[in-house]
Amino acid sequence: MNESDWEQIRSANAGLRSRVDEFQSEFDSEIGKLEDLHAKLAAMKVHATSPNRLARVTVNAAGRVTEVTVAEDAYRRSTPHQLTEDINAAIRGGVEAASAARDKLLAPIKNIVDGMADLSDIVPGAPSLRDLQARLSDTAEPPPTDHGQR
């Protein structure tokens, strides 16, 4: 190989390094926003009330029921069967509302992920935004925080 060939290789390598560094910088910036997002997911509580107002539930971002409240006069106003139906209706409504709220909160991350190449496609072993998005969509558990490693 002559000097010109080596210079082309060095130039291509520098360009690739620069591109990867830019991508890593963008990735790190977006990951930094995830701490705030995670705090919002962890704090999210959605309330739903049954159609007859016999039951009220609280659901977290993961769609888990965290509290069920039954109206004080529910036993006088309904039957056990009706109360069961109302509790189930409130749970279904709460889970659906939590899912919609979570999707709305995660929409900016989805837009970012959908709009860029994934670092793991360019650099083997690098963190994947798509994997992170899938994990956040499925649960409110904290994302891994190893984004600073190279």
Side-chain angles (χ1 to χ4, degrees), residues 5-57:
D5 292 337
W6 282 110
E7 186 56 39
Q8 284 180 329
I9 291 171
R10 281 191 286 276
S11 176
N13 188 36
L16 180 58
R17 245 182 234 270
S18 174
R19 185 171 176 216
V20 168
D21 287 346
E22 287 172 18
F23 188 84
Q24 183 69 45
S25 176
E26 182 180 341
F27 180 82
D28 289 343
S29 172
E30 296 304 328
I31 288 292
K33 296 175 185 176
L34 288 178
E35 289 180 16
D36 181 48
L37 177 65
H38 182 258
K40 288 178 182 177
L41 282 171
M44 184 177 8
K45 292 180 181 180
V46 177
H47 305 285
T49 303
S50 67
N52 295 326
R53 301 200 177 278
L54 296 175
R56 181 174 186 257
V57 298

Side-chain angles (χ1 to χ4, degrees), residues 55-134:
R56 181 174 186 257
V57 298
T58 303
V59 179
N60 67 15
R64 293 185 185 101
V65 175
T66 60
E67 184 178 354
V68 175
T69 306
V70 176
E72 289 188 28
D73 62 346
Y75 298 107
R76 286 181 302 201
R77 292 192 302 146
S78 72
T79 65
H81 177 73
Q82 178 61 46
L83 182 56
T84 300
E85 287 182 14
D86 271 36
I87 291 170
N88 286 330
I91 290 170
R92 283 190 300 274
V95 169
E96 289 172 13
S99 178
R102 184 181 63 238
D103 290 348
K104 183 178 178 181
L105 192 61
L106 293 174
I109 297 298
K110 182 176 179 356
N111 291 337
I112 291 167
V113 171
D114 290 347
M116 63 193 302
D118 205 341
L119 183 60
S120 63
D121 294 338
I122 298 170
V123 179
S128 168
L129 277 176
R130 286 181 180 80
D131 289 346
L132 183 58
Q133 176 193 9

